[in-house]
Amino acid sequence: MSGFALAVLCLVCVVAVAFARPGGGQSYSGGSRSRSSSGGGSGSGGGDGGFLVELLVWLVFRHPGIGIPVVLVVVVFFVGRAMLGNKVQEWSTAATPQSVQRVQRVEAPSPPPQVMSTIPRSALDALRAVDPEFSVVLFEDFVYLLYAEIQRARSGAGRLASIAAFLSPQLAQNIQAEAAGAAALADVRGIVIGAMRLTGFSGSHSATVSVEIEFEVNYVEVNRQGGEQRFYVTDRMGLSRAQGAKSRPPARARTLDCPNCGAPLENLRGTQCAYCQQDVGGGRFDWNVGYLSTMTKERRGPLLTGDVQETGTNDPTLVDPQAVPRIHAIEQRDPAFNWDAFTGRAAHIFGALQGAWSGREAARIRPYVSDNLFQSMVYWIDLYLQAKCRNMNDNARILRIDLANVLSDTVYDAITVRIFAAGADYTISDDGKVLSGSRTRERTYSEYWTFIRGSQRQGPARTDAACPNCGAPLDISMVGNCQFCRAKVTAGEFDWVLSRIEQDESYSG
Ligand SMILES: [Zn+2]
Ligand SMILES: [Zn+2]
């Protein structure tokens, strides 16, 4: 790293005040955002909107002097929010303000879905009506994979020729033009996805099923001269596929290969597969990316410390109405499952996460988190190592765990809980100076954590450091295999693993 870059990093450490935590917390975006923190929204999300309406009605009739102005304020708030939803978000950065540019609008061949505010991801579960093997967890992993592949394809380092079957002709053309242009990149790497939100969904009934996903991403662009620039980006990606298309089998869900026959990617030329002799593009067999729109792109990495206010901690938990019946269904399938053991494992993983984070040892969390979450932990921990500081969370402890949602499909059970925790959060340099936060003043926060486990799996959740398959003391490789029995334990086949951490203001069900 150059001296200048190091100086900037140190400056960031010193200038900013407080607040990071394992996984990045709210500091991922490097500053506070004006995204609404209340849940509600569309779909079957919050169970608390009804209470609010009742309260307002009661106020209007019993205390009109208070009630009517309150109703007006609420209406203005929601209308304003709905109008803002379509526009580029406003960003305020805690460090040096950067320009927010709108770049590379690639129009979709088919119109993007109309609903632009965040939709609960559980809405996608409706696809199981036309595709019984559909799994939200696997879908998100696949989308993540596609997104990273497209980013790499923007540079000469990508495999654009082989992924055309997953792109609309228009998008493939645009990417090719960019990769061949005068300002072409040498590589795009260090792609870390901080958040993925569902911003559009056609439902399962239309002939072409379309989905829009919004990403918050950090990546590094490497130019031809070897220069590097890290960006913080908000992108929206539109995908579609024929209603009759079926999900990939689980074994192929985390690889890109022929959408029809599964032949390795090298067999694809354009949208033609040399192996099965089919035109496999256009969403006939698999998801096809119609557009990738960059909403914001800022030249900066995440702040290691930032004056980021905790928002949403006092909001009611967004509980899906199906959460309780679905958790009972898991209990029916697996008599060894119970809430106490499950939350015991959640607490065990919480502890391991704190240790890995403050100790800057990613390996300690490896057995308990999915591959994608692990990659983002490694990324954060590397940043702290480079900046020669670490984020501490003394006396970190869970105060409460609420059930928020349960999704079950043929591959995974996914349980989302809201974890309320407290601890003294501060960042300290390697030579012992407290750079931000407070060693004595505790802070309370809440986050939504999603755990996954193979839906065929039965048995009690482990709360010790042993391999969930063979019981040997945990010694897990960096790719997630037990060193004794070689089983891959981090995909949730054997026991609950943490696959996602979302902030209150990002979570929408
Ligand atoms: Zn094929
Ligand atoms: Zn093992």
Side-chain angles (χ1 to χ4, degrees), residues 385-421:
L385 283 167
Q386 283 171 27
K388 296 187 167 37
C389 58
R390 65 177 77 212
N391 179 233
M392 308 299 291
N393 206 344
D394 289 355
N395 197 22
R397 63 202 183 278
I398 293 177
L399 305 174
R400 198 172 98 214
I401 300 183
D402 286 356
L403 177 66
N405 203 0
V406 178
L407 274 181
S408 294
D409 54 54
T410 58
V411 188
Y412 282 115
D413 290 317
I415 299 181
T416 303
V417 294
R418 188 178 184 202
I419 290 191
F420 293 85

Side-chain angles (χ1 to χ4, degrees), residues 467 470 482 485:
C467 168
C470 71
C482 170
C485 68

Side-chain angles (χ1 to χ4, degrees), residues 1 4-14 302 304 383 386-387 389:
M1 183 186 301
F4 175 72
L6 196 64
V8 169
L9 262 180
C10 291
L11 193 67
V12 164
C13 267
V14 175
L304 299 187
L383 284 177
Q386 283 171 27
C389 58

Side-chain angles (χ1 to χ4, degrees), residues 27-42:
S27 53
Y28 183 87
S29 61
S32 59
R33 292 179 296 157
S34 59
R35 189 172 292 283
S36 162
S37 61
S38 66
S42 51

Side-chain angles (χ1 to χ4, degrees), residues 58-117:
W58 178 82
L59 268 177
V60 167
F61 288 101
R62 295 298 296 273
H63 304 281
I66 305 170
I68 290 169
V70 167
V71 167
L72 283 176
V73 167
V74 168
V75 166
V76 167
F77 172 75
F78 277 101
V79 168
R81 205 182 124 194
M83 286 168 66
L84 264 178
N86 267 334
K87 298 200 182 113
V88 174
Q89 296 283 333
E90 293 207 70
W91 303 83
S92 57
T93 55
T96 42
Q98 302 281 352
S99 63
V100 176
Q101 352 158 341
R102 194 188 167 100
V103 289
Q104 197 200 354
R105 172 78 205 181
V106 182
E107 288 307 326
S110 54
Q114 290 305 300
V115 187
M116 296 299 266
S117 56

